[in-house]
Amino acid sequence: MRCRQATRMISESHERPLDLQEKVGLKVHLLICPHCRRFDKNCKTLSRMMKAFKQREKN
Ligand SMILES: [Zn+2]
């Protein structure tokens, strides 16, 4: 898996569940690629922030 595919998969994982093959491929890539690991971390932080923000809007 290349970085471009990996980052796309990371983004898509927030929109839809990844299938097993995609999950494994992404996991392996994240093990060997610090750039995508950082991207994954940023995405997770961002998505958490978005969720918290949306929740605050509801209340
Ligand atoms: Zn990568």
Side-chain angles (χ1 to χ4, degrees):
M1 191 183 284
R2 309 279 286 269
C3 286
R4 230 174 54 193
Q5 291 170 287
T7 50
R8 200 187 58 210
M9 218 131 269
I10 291 164
S11 308
E12 282 188 8
S13 73
H14 298 289
E15 320 274 315
R16 65 174 176 89
L18 301 178
D19 68 34
L20 190 64
Q21 202 188 352
E22 291 171 327
K23 261 189 226 168
V24 172
L26 182 59
K27 210 169 188 148
V28 170
H29 185 87
L30 289 179
L31 278 176
I32 56 162
C33 181
H35 302 287
C36 291
R37 233 173 10 235
R38 197 168 56 205
F39 180 80
D40 181 47
K41 208 176 140 201
N42 287 346
C43 276
K44 278 180 183 147
T45 309
L46 197 69
S47 122
R48 251 204 311 276
M49 273 165 55
M50 288 301 283
K51 267 186 200 145
F53 183 70
K54 275 181 193 159
Q55 227 142 41
R56 217 175 27 227
E57 267 192 335
K58 264 185 233 161
N59 297 332

